[in-house]
Amino acid sequence: MAKLWFDGAIADAGALQASLDTHALHYGSGVFEGIRSYATRAGAAVFRLPEHLERMRKGADLLGIALDVQQVRDATMQALRANDHRDAYIRPLAWIGAGGFGLDVAGHPQHLMVATTPTQVHLGGGKTRMTVSPWRRNPADSLPPLKLCGAYVNSILAKREAKGRGFDEALFVDAQGFVVECTGANVFMVKAGRVTAVEHRDALPGITRDTLITLSRAEARAVTLDELRDADEVFACGTAAEVAPIAALDDRIYGDNPVGRELAALYARVVRGAESASHAWLTQF
Ligand code: PMP
């Protein structure tokens, strides 16, 4: 049976419950992370764990959740070992528990869990068809680009709308025509061999994006939708998506994505510890 770490101990996942008046269930008052571990030649390891935990801490601070980063780190290791995982997706979640329906979270209990699930090795099909969303991304001055639970309703609306029109993924564009990001991934483009990382204040500062900027020496700057449509290649990236070539953006069909595929292969080697760049980014467990 799957095990997870909850409030200080490893337990059977199926034996745990949260009460229906959990504050986070009603208002999204929680913060989470999406992290991955990989089987490497030197044993299983978590990719860029400190960076993920630091982002989670920033979100927790905003909600007044006292997050002990070292505890989340230890809980992650314990959950991975308890499940005997190697290639896994790791989901830490800190949230406000039961204590009334008021919006003031002061005095409410706070909880922490870390769940891990095995991941399948992606084949990198490059078949993702994306559409420009009619929804706007949460503006950073209303909801900061962190992994706050409630903020993800915005992504859910965009994903649902895109899938309803037969697409796989939605692209957020701002009112001025600048590209923001996808529902759960950042965006890159390639033009004449030059790799550019889309930069936008409303987009989550992705750790995969940061990794790819380092690996490819990509330029990071604002990109308009017109420029993206005119690019030779577009790819999305994120912890779960890794490097995902985009086949089409609405009626714009991209070609073979050779640079994106090469970067996807490099990223796959880096996360599995097969490149010199890997070592500083891997935490063995
Ligand atoms: N944007 C959003 C909205 C996301 O949810 C994610 C996934 N965490 C990303 C971008 C990619 O971030 P990362 O590379 O850190 O997983």
Side-chain angles (χ1 to χ4, degrees):
M1 188 190 265
K3 310 254 188 226
L4 58 73
W5 189 102
F6 171 65
D7 282 355
I10 292 287
D12 286 337
L16 295 171
Q17 289 188 331
S19 68
L20 296 183
D21 56 351
T22 294
H23 198 270
L25 181 64
H26 295 257
Y27 301 122
S29 47
V31 59
F32 69 98
E33 260 308 322
I35 313 173
R36 273 175 89 155
S37 65
Y38 293 91
T40 79
R41 274 181 294 185
V46 182
F47 190 65
R48 302 201 69 175
L49 180 59
E51 291 86 346
H52 282 282
L53 297 184
E54 175 54 17
R55 186 169 65 190
M56 187 177 179
R57 190 198 56 75
K58 284 184 188 153
D61 277 359
L62 288 179
L63 288 170
I65 295 177
L67 193 78
D68 178 344
V69 167
Q70 187 60 41
Q71 185 182 45
V72 191
R73 188 186 183 285
D74 293 345
T76 299
M77 298 305 178
Q78 285 179 37
L80 286 165
R81 288 193 205 113
N83 289 299
D84 201 21
H85 280 150
R86 283 165 185 72
D87 287 297
Y89 182 80
I90 303 157
R91 167 53 55 86
L93 171 69
W95 73 99
I96 307 287
F101 297 131
L103 292 176
D104 185 358
V105 297
H108 284 58
Q110 302 179 351
H111 301 286
L112 175 67
M113 59 160 258
V114 180
T116 63
T117 54
T119 45
Q120 308 301 323
V121 175
H122 284 236
L123 295 177
K127 297 263 193 289
T128 305
R129 290 173 56 255
M130 192 161 75
T131 182
V132 173
S133 183
W135 294 103
R136 300 285 180 219
R137 189 71 178 134
N138 301 317
D141 53 7
S142 297
L143 261 176
L146 290 165
K147 295 185 80 74
L148 300 176
C149 296
Y152 277 78
V153 172
N154 181 227
S155 288
I156 292 166
L157 294 181
K159 189 86 172 183
R160 254 180 62 77
E161 195 281 332
K163 293 207 87 169
R165 288 191 287 112
F167 290 90
D168 307 304
E169 179 57 318
L171 178 73
F172 288 109
V173 175
D174 75 11
Q176 282 70 47
F178 286 97
V179 177
V180 184
E181 62 177 336
C182 297
T183 61
N186 293 113
V187 179
F188 279 68
M189 68 171 185
V190 183
K191 180 75 178 175
R194 245 181 114 92
V195 183
T196 302
V198 170
E199 192 159 273
H200 198 288
R201 64 195 294 266
D202 301 338
L204 188 81
I207 291 161
T208 316
R209 174 183 182 274
D210 180 75
T211 303
L212 294 175
I213 289 172
T214 304
L215 294 176
S216 68
R217 296 189 185 83
E219 173 191 19
R221 63 168 172 84
V223 170
T224 64
L225 177 59
D226 287 347
E227 249 188 303
L228 199 75
R229 288 180 60 92
D230 190 45
D232 301 327
E233 298 179 36
V234 172
F235 57 89
C237 70
T239 298
E242 298 186 314
V243 182
I246 300 298
L249 171 58
D250 290 309
D251 60 349
R252 165 74 167 106
I253 316 285
Y254 296 101
D256 189 35
N257 276 294
V259 177
R261 277 194 290 108
E262 201 178 305
L263 266 172
L266 174 60
Y267 183 78
R269 293 197 301 276
V270 167
V271 294
R272 289 186 173 75
E275 294 282 329
S276 57
S278 308
H279 304 295
W281 286 334
L282 290 168
T283 304
Q284 241 81 37
F285 63 88

